[in-house]
Amino acid sequence: MTAPGTGGAGLADRVAAAARSARPGVPAGPVADAVDAVVDRLADRRLRIAVGGRMNAGKSTLINALVGQRVAATAATECTRLVAWFRGSHQNRIEVRRTDGTSYHVPGRPGGGVPDDLTLLGADRASVRELVVEVVNDRLDQRYTIVDTPGMDSLSGLDEIAMAALARADALLYVMPHPGAGDTAAIEALRRQAGERLTAANVLGVLSRVDELGDGVGDPWPRARRLTSTYGARLRGVVGDVVPVVGLLAATAAGDTFTEDDAALVRRLAVADAEALGRALYSGRTFRAWSTGPLSSDERDLLAARLGRYGITVATDACRKGISGAAPLLAELRRHSGIDALESAITDRFVAVADRLRAGFAISTLERVVRAAPPGPPALVTLATTLATLRRDPRLRQADLGTALVDLGAGRLRLTDEDAAALVTLATAADPAGCVGLDADASAEQLRQAADREILRWRRREDDPSRLVQRHARTAREVCEAIFFSVTS
C-alpha cells in the first residue's frame, strides 16, 4: 500500500529523517533525549517481538523454538522471572542491567543464552532490572529481537519493568497453554497498561500445548484446530489470530539438541510391542515408570524431556514407516509441531509489515514528546507538522484502525459478524489485496473492484445511529479509498 508521491520510501526512514532534522533545534534535556532514543531505535531495523502470558504458559520453550536453539531458561527459577531481551550478535554474552542504572557483562551459557542459575549472573533478583542476551544466531541477527516477559501470575500482573519492556516492543505473542476467559482479561490488561498500542493488528495468540488437550492421547490436531477457530472468533479484535503449536516438540524440532544418539533411542522404542508402548505413554508418569521396556530410566527421562508423549508417538510411528536418523526424524517432528504455521503467521502479520509497525511506534512516541514539551522551539513545531503529514500515509491510516479493534474486542463497537470480520481483515492484512479479502496475486482490476465494494460497505455503516460506529466506519472507508487510488493512480 504505497501513497502517491512517496516513491515507496520506507516510513520508518522518513520518521527517522524528520527526527534527525529536528534534533539540532531541540535544547538539551528530556525532550532531546527522547528524540535521540527514537532515532537510535529506528536505526535498528529488526522488529521487536514481545512474548507474554501467564506463569508456566510455555513462553521460554516457544522462544527457543523460534530462535532455533536453547537461549531462554525453561526451568522455574529466578531467571524466568526477569525481563530478557534476546538479540543477535557476533558473540555470546549477557548484559546485566541493574536497578541502580549500572550494568556489566557476563558470559552466556555454553552455546549462548540465559543460565538456569541466577547466581551465575553475579546478582540477586531484586537488583536486576533486565537482561540483554546477545547470541550468535542468524534469526535474531536478521529478523527480530525477542523480549521474554515474566509470567503474569508471578507478579499479580506485570510490574513496571516488564511493562516498560512491552511498551518498547512492536508486536506481541500471547502464549496460552489452555485458552480461557482469564486470557481475554489478561490481554486486555496488557493492552491498557501498554497504552492501547497492542491490538489485533500486532498481537497473535499462541495455543502452546495442543498435545495436552483432552486426555493427551491420540492425534491432538483436530481438536486443536476446532479450539483455535473458536477462540480466534471469541478473541476477535483482541488478537489477530490464534495459532496452535506443540511447544516442546517445536523447540526440539527447530533446535540443535536432538542427536543421532536420541534417534537410536527412538529406534529401540519403535521395535517394542506397540500395545505395551501405548499403555506406557498413557501419562508421563507411566512412561517414566515403564521398567519392562527397552530403555533405561535415564533414557526414558531424556526422551520425555526432548519429545514429550506425543513426540515419542510421532517419532516411533515414523521409525516403523522406515524413517530413520536424526535429520529425517526431526523433519517429521517439525511437521507435527506446528512451528512452520507459527513462523508463517509471524512473517505475514509482523515481519511483512515491520516498517509500518516501527514507524507507527516512533510517530506515537514523538507525538507524545512534542505534546509534553514546553512551547517554543520551532524545530518541534516543524516536527509536529511532518508527523501529521506522515499520519496521512495509507499504510498508517490502516494502523489507525487499531483503536477500532480495541473497541471491537472490548464489546463497545457492535457490528455484524460479517462486518467485524471485514474490519479485522482490513486492519491486520499485510498487503492491499489481503485488506479487501483477495489473494496477493489479484489483478489491479480485481483489487479496484473489491476496494470499491468495501468503500460502499463502510459508507453505509457511517449512517449507523452509533457515533462510535460512524467514526470507525469513516476511518475504514478512508483506508479502502487509499487502496482504491493506490491501484488507479
Side-chain angles (χ1 to χ4, degrees), residues 110-124:
V114 181
D116 292 326
D117 186 354
L118 182 63
T119 62
L120 297 177
L121 300 177
D124 59 86

Side-chain angles (χ1 to χ4, degrees), residues 199-266:
T199 72
N202 61 349
V203 179
L204 271 176
V206 181
L207 188 57
S208 60
R209 295 176 183 156
V210 302
D211 52 320
E212 297 178 4
L213 296 174
D215 57 10
V217 176
D219 183 359
W221 284 102
R223 179 179 174 85
R225 294 186 182 99
R226 290 194 299 270
L227 265 180
T228 51
S229 176
T230 298
Y231 280 95
R234 188 172 299 177
L235 295 172
R236 178 182 292 162
V238 179
V239 301
D241 201 358
V242 179
V243 183
V245 297
V246 182
L248 177 60
L249 200 57
T252 296
D256 55 3
T257 59
F258 191 85
T259 67
E260 290 295 345
D261 289 341
D262 299 322
L265 296 181
V266 172

Side-chain angles (χ1 to χ4, degrees), residues 221-410:
W221 284 102
R223 179 179 174 85
R225 294 186 182 99
R226 290 194 299 270
L227 265 180
T228 51
S229 176
T230 298
Y231 280 95
R234 188 172 299 177
L235 295 172
R236 178 182 292 162
V238 179
V239 301
D241 201 358
V242 179
V243 183
V245 297
V246 182
L248 177 60
L249 200 57
T252 296
D256 55 3
T257 59
F258 191 85
T259 67
E260 290 295 345
D261 289 341
D262 299 322
L265 296 181
V266 172
R267 287 195 296 273
R268 285 165 57 192
L269 267 186
V271 298
D273 179 74
E275 189 173 325
L277 176 59
R279 289 194 301 268
L281 289 172
Y282 178 76
S283 72
R285 179 177 298 179
T286 56
F287 180 71
R288 286 183 168 89
W290 188 34
S291 58
T292 59
L295 303 184
S296 69
S297 176
D298 288 345
E299 290 169 337
R300 293 195 302 275
D301 288 347
L302 187 150
L303 269 194
R306 291 266 201 275
L307 304 178
R309 290 183 294 151
Y310 175 62
I312 291 172
T313 299
V314 170
T316 52
D317 285 349
C319 276
R320 295 188 188 106
K321 296 174 183 176
I323 298 174
S324 184
L329 280 176
L330 282 172
E332 190 71 5
L333 295 172
R334 185 180 182 100
R335 191 171 68 84
H336 285 81
S337 72
I339 187 63
D340 289 332
L342 177 59
E343 289 185 344
S344 293
I346 291 172
T347 297
D348 293 343
R349 293 185 177 270
F350 295 162
V351 178
V353 295
D355 180 57
R356 186 191 76 199
L357 293 175
R358 294 169 63 246
F361 170 81
I363 288 176
S364 296
T365 302
L366 290 171
E367 286 173 339
R368 288 195 299 271
V369 169
V370 171
R371 285 195 298 267
L380 290 183
V381 176
T382 302
L383 177 60
T385 301
T386 303
L387 295 177
T389 301
L390 287 171
R391 277 283 186 199
R392 293 195 292 270
D393 187 286
R395 290 162 289 183
L396 285 178
R397 289 312 312 272
Q398 185 189 18
D400 287 343
L401 288 172
T403 55
L405 297 181
V406 170
D407 288 333
L408 181 65

